Amino acid sequence: MAKDVEQVTEQPEYSAKDYHDPPPAPLFDPDELTKWSLYRAAIAEFIATLLFLYITVLTIIGYKRQTDTSIPGNTECDGVGILGIAWAFGGMIFILVYCTAGISGGHINPAVTLGSFLGRKVSLVRALLYIVAQCAGAISGAGLAKAFQKSFYNRYGGGANTVSDGYNKGTALGAEIIGTFVLVYTVFSATDPKRNARDSHVPVLAPLPIGFAVFMVHLATIPITGTGINPARSFGPAVIFNNDKAWDDQWIYWVGPFIGAAVAAFYHQYILRAAAIKVLGSFRSNA
């Protein structure tokens, strides 16, 4: 009588985590300055911001011209409206982030770059170069819009951001802080490696929620500040239009987005992802 033989099969070992966090970027890496990938990424940021400003500024100017009642046949109901302007900004961000994410990360915004730096996703060298490229691209994009439509550009404000009548600077600053928080929080969440691993079966592109966040914030804050949430977007038209009101309010479009980005980075990295607790745990395990 044959004996029953039990076959023991080894169970595969599963990792406690089905995702891997990338290592934190160094604060300063001199070797990065010798790599072409850094300058290629900066060029991508420059071109993307140029295209972003060119399309969105022309959308704003076109809307104001279509609703200019001093022109025979125009009514205040003509044009794309605030909804169309918001779609232009959100749609362009979706397109450009999709195109440049694999090259530079698709920041197209100094506030996003600052948040990424505080979250240890980019080095100081890369962050500074990105911000310079973004501001240069914004100036070039606004300048290109003016070159093609100089008379309309000067007549309809050049797409420059200013605080709307009836709102004080405190309200405008708060709108920029909260609006940028929404954007940068969405960026961190959409690009989180833990979310990507967990939701890998869901065919959703990361640029989609980012672009949609830009769209929603514009709907809420266009009546207040014209919507900055991107210092380069406000800086470029201010340089080209060169209006006193735009320069007087310019600080709001830098301080607000940078505060919002810093708070969003801290909230996502150190509260939701508990980065501080993980670092403390690693110190205790090594002790």
Side-chain angles (χ1 to χ4, degrees):
M1 184 176 179
K3 294 182 179 180
D4 293 335
V5 179
E6 293 185 358
Q7 294 183 350
V8 179
T9 58
E10 295 184 358
Q11 297 294 327
E13 295 183 359
Y14 293 98
S15 172
K17 290 168 52 176
D18 58 354
Y19 68 96
H20 297 282
D21 287 312
L27 179 63
F28 180 75
D29 183 8
D31 293 337
E32 196 172 23
L33 293 169
T34 64
K35 297 178 180 178
W36 164 244
S37 60
L38 173 65
Y39 302 101
R40 179 185 63 183
I43 293 171
E45 289 291 311
F46 171 83
I47 295 297
T49 314
L50 183 155
L51 295 174
F52 177 60
L53 264 292
Y54 174 73
I55 296 296
T56 54
V57 166
L58 286 185
T59 302
I60 295 170
I61 293 173
Y63 163 68
K64 290 186 175 181
R65 182 179 183 277
Q66 290 174 316
T67 55
D68 185 356
T69 55
S70 65
I71 299 176
N74 283 3
T75 68
E76 293 183 354
C77 296
D78 292 340
V80 296
I82 290 179
L83 183 64
I85 294 173
W87 271 123
F89 277 88
M92 281 303 294
I93 287 297
F94 169 71
I95 293 168
L96 295 171
V97 170
Y98 177 80
C99 292
T100 60
I103 302 171
S104 65
H107 294 188
I108 323 171
N109 184 338
V112 173
T113 300
L114 176 66
S116 298
F117 169 70
L118 296 177
R120 300 294 303 277
K121 295 179 180 294
V122 297
S123 67
L124 178 62
V125 172
R126 184 174 290 266
L128 292 176
L129 189 59
Y130 275 17
I131 292 174
V132 171
Q134 290 156 0
C135 290
I139 294 172
S140 301
L144 195 61
K146 182 177 181 179
F148 286 144
Q149 298 188 17
K150 185 174 182 179
S151 61
F152 293 150
Y153 186 93
N154 293 329
R155 181 176 180 179
Y156 297 115
N161 278 335
T162 58
V163 178
S164 301
D165 295 336
Y167 295 95
N168 59 43
K169 295 187 185 298
T171 301
L173 181 63
E176 289 296 309
I177 291 173
I178 296 173
T180 310
F181 176 90
V182 172
L183 170 60
V184 177
Y185 175 40
T186 304
V187 170
F188 272 81
S189 298
T191 58
D192 191 334
K194 183 177 182 179
R195 175 180 293 276
N196 293 337
R198 186 188 64 192
D199 300 339
S200 59
H201 62 286
V202 181
V204 177
L205 296 171
L208 181 59
I210 296 172
F212 201 68
V214 172
F215 166 71
M216 295 302 297
V217 171
H218 273 75
L219 287 181
T221 58
I222 282 177
I224 305 172
T225 62
T227 308
I229 65 171
N230 182 339
R233 176 264 177 270
S234 301
F235 182 67
V239 170
I240 300 301
F241 187 55
N242 198 25
N243 175 267
D244 290 341
K245 172 65 172 172
W247 284 119
D248 290 342
D249 296 342
Q250 187 65 200
W251 68 272
I252 294 172
Y253 300 99
W254 286 85
V255 175
F258 278 173
I259 293 175
V263 174
F266 176 84
Y267 173 65
H268 185 272
Q269 292 296 97
Y270 296 100
I271 296 180
L272 297 187
R273 292 299 307 277
I277 297 176
K278 293 176 183 177
V279 172
L280 181 61
S282 66
F283 283 146
R284 287 177 174 174
S285 63
N286 293 331

